[in-house]
Amino acid sequence: MTLVKTKIGRRSFIRTSALAGGGMMVGFSWLASCKMTPEEVNSLPKEWFDINGFLKIGDNGMVTIMSPNPEIGQNVKTAMPMIVADELDVDWKNVIVEQAPLNLDVFQRQLAGGSQSIRAGWEGLRMAGATARKMLKQAAAKAWEVPEEEITTSNGMLYHEASNKSAGYGELASAAVGVSSPDDPPENIEVPEEVELKGIKDFTIIGTDRLNVDGPKIVTGKPLFGIDVQEEGMLTAMIVHPPAFGLSYKSMDAESVKSMPGIKDVFPVDVYPEGVEKQWSDGGGIAQLVAIVGESTWQCMQAKKALKVEWEGPSDLESTSSYEDDLAKLLDAPVEAPARSDGDFNQAFKSAAKVIERTYSAPFLAHNTMEPMNFYAHVTADKAEVKGPIQTPEFLEKTLSSVLDMSIDNIDVGMTRMGGGFGRRLYGHFGVEAAVISKKAQAPIKLVYSREDDMTQGTYRPAYKVKFKAGLDKDNNLIAWSVKGAGTNDDLVFENRFPAGAVDNYLAEKTSLQTKITTGAWRAPRSNFMAGAEQSFMDEVAELAGKDPIDFRLELFDRAINDPVGNPEQNDYDPERYAGVLKLVKEKAKWDGSGNGKARGVSAYYCHNSYVAQVLDLSMEGNKPMVDKVVCAVDCGIVINPISAKNQIEGGIIDGIGHATYSQMTFEDGVPQQQNFDSYHLIRNIEAPKQIESYFVDNGIDPTGLGEPSLPPVIGALANAMYKATGKRVYNQPFILEKEIVG
């Protein structure tokens, strides 16, 4: 077996001890000894660094692995323990997975977001399992008085072939930690100075299909989600927030609804007192609300309908037409300095034989998780217990400490499974609202958003507009490329992504428009628009050059590989891996330029450290385009759980097609015009692709992101296929509004 030695140290261990009933427990800092350069460490968002976890082995041989990261459907609750279990060399059927609690003394930076959970935890997770395996081997060697190197492991068993001795992990678990009582001090434990990691070919769990560990509970309706929480004496709370962005609370007639059945109280709420700093840099909720507390959700809903609230604010409230105009003006206005400039862009365009320029736009989008926002809270004078669906539990705890003026030690944040996140639950204002309402009501409450509350509260995907320009020489070679993007509360452009480094004259500029409409991260932030726009434009440039769209892209990657412009290390992408997924999708889709009787579009994009290329086949049913098939090639390094990986890819593809084609949030004088699914069109089953094929590059590279990368490029593939089907290009999302295209 090929093994890799990785040094570890005592600092990697937080706690190691015997279990009360026999067995062992290892608390291991899963990232403390990762082989990462300082540059790589600094490139990781702090929210995703220092992931930790517990590994427990009982005397019966059962292994409990604590999954520290919140579970939002990305299946890390299965995948992360799979990594630990494989290095531990235990039978997966003997593994129990539990959601770890928020514990800042043990688990650092517990967060779900950015498709980084597996990437950030990969080596540390492996070391957690390998360390426990080594300690068990040391215990067996000592008990049997044989050299440790002669001990082998398999499926939770220890073997010594020469003496024909064997034992289960449970039999030697207590001995492995070097103590006989859970009260023995941890400094008596002999910490291994180095552990050996398995070679890739020796994995037995990683790379195999494993069903969702919560699957049986989900399909049988067991209480896993925040909306399921029920506690003794718990009341229900709902909120009334301003009907328009920019308004604030003035007054209300609370007495008119307090006498309604089941209603306990109605009061205004200042969620964030003066001087309180939120832990969320964007999004983050509304400061002033009205709370309705009652015995049931239905009773609160009826009181909410009857309650008359007066709001006040400025007269210049924002509408869709105003921000669209303002974004367009920003694209025409000069910026202070370019984000990146290679070569002589202006001179290149003067000498270009052909020039093309296009502008693309996209609207605000709501997250629309299937489980609306909700949170349980019970706040007393000296303690706060909260629990619910939250992607950033640590940030919520810190904000609560500030808002409640309470020590973190007295705040307990519990994590439930989430019915979707997509970035929406990075912003835990609903948890803060629940806590403030509980404190005021002096009772345990569960705050529940209606669908209308959720869709109109804000924290949307920003609206975007981007302008591309390209120049070709007389031989149809790309000699100049520019991109200038603007977003609401967001600057949009990734200046060091493709085709940076592949074009002699390259210019990237970005700017942003501040707006009262709150925005935040939405699945694959910025990439969710930029990929579709860039790849649509790329196809137009290829057509102008008279070249096959895949061959045109591959020419650019060859340039980036063999003769890169500027410093290759400045570029965010690896052109060889990028080209690799294009070649793979070309092969699997049997791309020959003819379309095989279908309107075909292609796209490729890099984000979240992974590479995705897609070919989309589209046909017209009357005047409506229907996606027949999507072939997807993915390079995300080692695939931990293939069945889950395919689910993530398929979900991202459907999500991207649906939102680009049908979805939007619009505003009139600050009022959201879409409030439920009767006016906000999410993709229906009949509108989803009939077939999706996913292929993964097998390169043995450490795993990278997977929850988001399949969404962005499919929008470009869709737009390019629509052009093939209709002869007309689409530039503005949602595509359904391009009446001459969709009809």
Side-chain angles (χ1 to χ4, degrees), residues 688-707:
K690 298 173 184 176
Q691 184 181 0
I692 299 175
E693 294 179 4
S694 301
Y695 300 93
F696 296 90
V697 175
D698 184 9
N699 54 19
I701 295 173
D702 288 355
T704 51
L706 194 59

Side-chain angles (χ1 to χ4, degrees), residues 191-203:
V191 178
E193 293 185 359
E194 63 181 23
V195 295
E196 296 176 317
L197 303 181
K198 286 184 176 182
I200 295 173
K201 67 180 182 60
D202 298 311
F203 290 149

Side-chain angles (χ1 to χ4, degrees), residues 618-626 725-726 740-743:
L618 179 146
S619 59
M620 302 299 291
E621 295 186 5
N623 290 325
K624 188 172 184 178
M626 300 296 291
T726 66
E740 70 275 14
I741 301 296
V742 180

Side-chain angles (χ1 to χ4, degrees), residues 47 272 277-286 367 392 395 399 423-430 457-462 464 488-491 514-522 525-526:
E47 292 82 0
Y272 301 105
E277 183 178 351
K278 293 182 293 184
Q279 292 291 313
W280 302 279
S281 59
D282 49 5
I286 299 167
H367 294 79
T392 51
F395 293 174
T399 303
R424 177 65 179 84
R425 288 186 161 103
L426 289 169
Y427 312 95
H429 57 87
F430 43 89
Q457 179 275 332
T459 320
Y460 302 118
R461 195 280 301 271
Y464 294 121
T488 52
N489 308 319
D490 195 7
D491 58 17
Q514 296 306 302
T515 173
K516 296 182 181 70
I517 300 169
T518 59
T519 59
W522 193 95
R526 294 186 281 169

